[in-house]
Amino acid sequence: ETVDVSGQFLLPGAIDVHVHFREPGYTHKEDWRTGSAAAAMGGTTTVFEMPNTNPPTRSVRELRQKQEAAAKAHVDYGIYGLLAEDNIDELQGLIDGGVNAFKCFMGNTFGNLPSPSTGAMLEGFEIIAPSGLRISLHAETASIMAWRQKRLMEAGRNDPLAHIAARPAIVAAEAVGRAAELAEWTGARIHILHISSAAELRPLAEAKARGVEITGETCPCYLLLDSRDYARLGSIIRVNPPVRDASDSEAIWAALQSGVVDMIATDHAPHTVEEKTKDVIWQADCGFPGVETQMPLMLNEVSKGRITLEHYVTVSAEKPAKAFGLWPHKGRIEAGAEADIAVVDMHRTETIRAEALHSRGKITPFEGVSVTGIPVHTLVRGRFVQRDRQLVPETSGWGRQVTAIQAMPKPTIRNADQTLAACLQGPAGSAKGAGS
Ligand code: DOR
Ligand code: ZN
Ligand code: ZN
């Protein structure tokens, strides 16, 4: 197969370490075929999929279920295992069973998975650290949010802006700082998901300066929308964590430029139009699809001169590959046939229309936005999955699970002698051994 790519750019396909494809359990919102088709159309060649499905990916049994569902993917994928209060004893099995990373919900969000205590998190970090697998944090402190939401609901606050009041930036900043402490203590590698505020940047930068193995992502909505958009968008804009003030997006842009924020991910979180459009903000599901619009939206920023094409490649492909163990690039580029590539046309302009998205979530806060810079072909391991703005339907099933940490150095484990597992075993000749 040949195509004429003269005048176009060949970029590494985007690696999106944060998508929700909803299968099993919520396939009216999305499934692995529709979600991965959206990725293919958006120039994204590898996704890491989140565990808040039904059932959640909490043990090897659910990991196998997810792998079965994922077998129809158009693009390559990593699978997240859950780190929660009630599956600590399943973590080693998930590691041995082949998860690519872990996700810990420090605050409640879609799926209503209870957030683990700091004690359970510490034990989870101790168990996962030696594997070198990265732990991604939904960094929002549950107890602060629960209190504020209760107070706001009692006062009858129903409007979109109440969503920010329930989850002010301190909610996220406090959780980032706490997660970084646990990572520093154990030597676990962590990743801060969906950075939405200026306040999170200080604990993130400080942890990096201390040598903590920590990375951070932001999403297009936190760069391109702000609190002025709530009046226009209503409940559509509801996402956890919330879109905040223009000063926050300014600070996140600067941190993306300086490298404090490492990468762009999408938090692709599809829901139906009905689930998203509610008069009472508390009834609207959180999040929106993003995996198909990320590259056009960000290339549009390249067109406007806000970020260079080179830096976009760094934050969309290089840094996620390095952080999640896919570096050197998983495709055998030297063989010439296995590369993951997005061919982009920087002169092409399209208007974003939810109706035309390949996701089942036919609603987006970027409806009607005109974008210049479009992925016109996508190749996964050398095969076209999108060609000339058309999905190649027969590539459903071409996607494979990636092998993470194939290229990562061994992590530095700290305080191994003080892990809960070590303490439970006790010193040699201790009371536990004495009676036997
Ligand atoms: O807005 C969100 N939606 N934030 C999350 O953390 C989860 C996601 C979802 O799964 O719907
Ligand atoms: Zn989250
Ligand atoms: Zn998410």
Side-chain angles (χ1 to χ4, degrees):
E1 288 175 286
T2 56
V3 291
D4 181 5
V5 296
S6 48
Q8 300 176 338
F9 289 93
L10 273 63
L11 309 188
I15 299 172
D16 188 342
V17 302
H18 188 170
V19 303
H20 301 265
F21 281 175
R22 307 299 193 205
E23 186 180 3
Y26 305 106
T27 50
H28 68 288
K29 295 176 189 279
E30 193 76 294
D31 66 27
W32 273 86
R33 193 183 52 74
T34 53
S36 68
M41 293 304 293
T44 292
T45 50
T46 304
V47 295
F48 279 61
E49 204 270 341
M50 287 294 174
N52 58 335
T53 42
N54 190 13
T57 319
R58 60 179 304 282
S59 75
V60 173
R61 169 207 272 265
E62 293 85 23
L63 171 62
R64 297 290 172 252
Q65 239 181 304
K66 186 153 283 190
Q67 285 169 323
E68 243 172 72
K72 53 185 170 292
H74 290 271
V75 302
D76 286 352
Y77 49 89
I79 296 178
Y80 273 102
L82 184 69
L83 160 53
E85 183 99 12
D86 63 357
N87 77 332
I88 295 294
D89 292 327
E90 310 289 347
L91 297 177
Q92 193 60 51
L94 283 167
I95 294 165
D96 299 337
V99 288
N100 298 92
F102 283 90
K103 165 77 176 275
C104 174
F105 291 92
M106 295 175 78
N108 291 64
T109 189
F110 178 75
N112 281 325
L113 302 174
S115 36
S117 64
T118 309
M121 275 179 72
L122 177 57
E123 188 179 359
F125 279 33
E126 289 172 347
I127 294 166
I128 295 165
S131 73
L133 294 176
R134 204 164 282 270
I135 306 167
S136 291
L137 287 311
H138 178 109
E140 288 191 301
T141 299
S143 58
I144 309 177
M145 298 191 294
W147 177 258
R148 295 178 78 87
Q149 183 157 346
K150 179 171 90 84
R151 299 287 288 165
L152 287 156
M153 288 175 83
E154 282 168 2
R157 277 289 300 268
N158 273 334
D159 52 298
L161 285 167
H163 179 53
I164 304 182
R167 307 173 101 103
I170 180 64
V171 163
E174 196 273 345
V176 171
R178 190 151 42 94
E181 290 289 338
L182 300 180
E184 183 167 23
W185 182 262
T186 56
R189 292 180 169 134
I190 63 168
H191 175 69
I192 306 300
L193 300 160
H194 44 45
I195 290 169
S196 63
S197 68
E200 289 156 274
L201 300 172
R202 188 182 66 180
L204 174 61
E206 284 177 359
K208 286 187 169 190
R210 309 199 291 274
V212 179
E213 285 226 36
I214 184 170
T215 52
E217 80 185 24
T218 192
C219 313
C221 62
Y222 305 115
L223 293 168
L224 303 176
L225 302 173
D226 63 57
S227 48
R228 292 167 296 187
D229 294 306
Y230 280 69
R232 177 172 61 88
L233 293 169
S235 61
I236 295 171
I237 201 175
R238 189 179 191 210
V239 58
N240 297 331
V243 166
R244 306 183 191 281
D245 292 331
S247 58
D248 290 288
S249 56
E250 287 302 322
I252 299 166
W253 266 114
L256 188 69
Q257 299 288 7
S258 74
V260 167
V261 170
D262 295 274
M263 64 189 86
I264 299 285
T266 66
D267 196 4
H268 176 83
H271 302 283
T272 64
V273 175
E274 224 222 320
E275 290 163 339
K276 283 298 293 175
T277 44
K278 304 280 185 184
D279 294 333
V280 174
I281 189 69
W282 311 117
Q283 288 167 2
D285 276 347
C286 297
F288 28 79
V291 75
E292 188 165 350
T293 50
Q294 178 273 119
M295 190 176 285
L297 285 167
M298 294 306 296
L299 290 179
N300 191 48
E301 297 302 303
V302 172
S303 302
K304 292 197 292 192
R306 194 144 198 205
I307 181 173
T308 65
L309 189 57
E310 289 81 359
H311 197 59
Y312 173 69
V313 168
T314 303
V315 299
S316 64
E318 179 185 343
K319 293 250 233 146
K322 284 179 170 164
F324 284 80
L326 306 175
W327 185 272
H329 196 275
K330 70 183 170 61
R332 283 184 301 145
I333 289 171
E334 72 275 15
E338 294 204 2
D340 297 337
I341 287 175
V343 180
V344 307
D345 185 340
M346 292 304 292
H347 299 292
R348 184 178 173 120
T349 298
E350 287 185 5
T351 301
I352 294 176
R353 295 284 174 213
E355 197 41 52
L357 296 178
H358 289 68
S359 170
R360 245 170 228 150
K362 303 280 188 217
I363 188 162
T364 167
F366 298 106
E367 180 72 33
V369 173
S370 168
V371 284
T372 299
I374 301 291
V376 292
H377 314 288
T378 307
L379 292 92
V380 172
R381 279 174 285 105
R383 184 168 174 193
F384 284 92
V385 294
Q386 181 218 159
R387 196 181 157 136
D388 282 323
R389 301 303 289 135
Q390 296 295 320
L391 180 72
V392 182
E394 59 272 25
T395 57
S396 172
W398 176 246
R400 282 194 213 142
Q401 189 178 353
V402 296
T403 310
I405 67 164
Q406 58 199 8
M408 301 270 279
K410 261 193 141 6
T412 309
I413 303 307
R414 301 201 185 87
N415 298 307
D417 55 332
Q418 293 177 52
T419 61
L420 196 54
C423 296
L424 286 171
Q425 275 177 359
S430 69
K432 187 183 165 206
S436 52

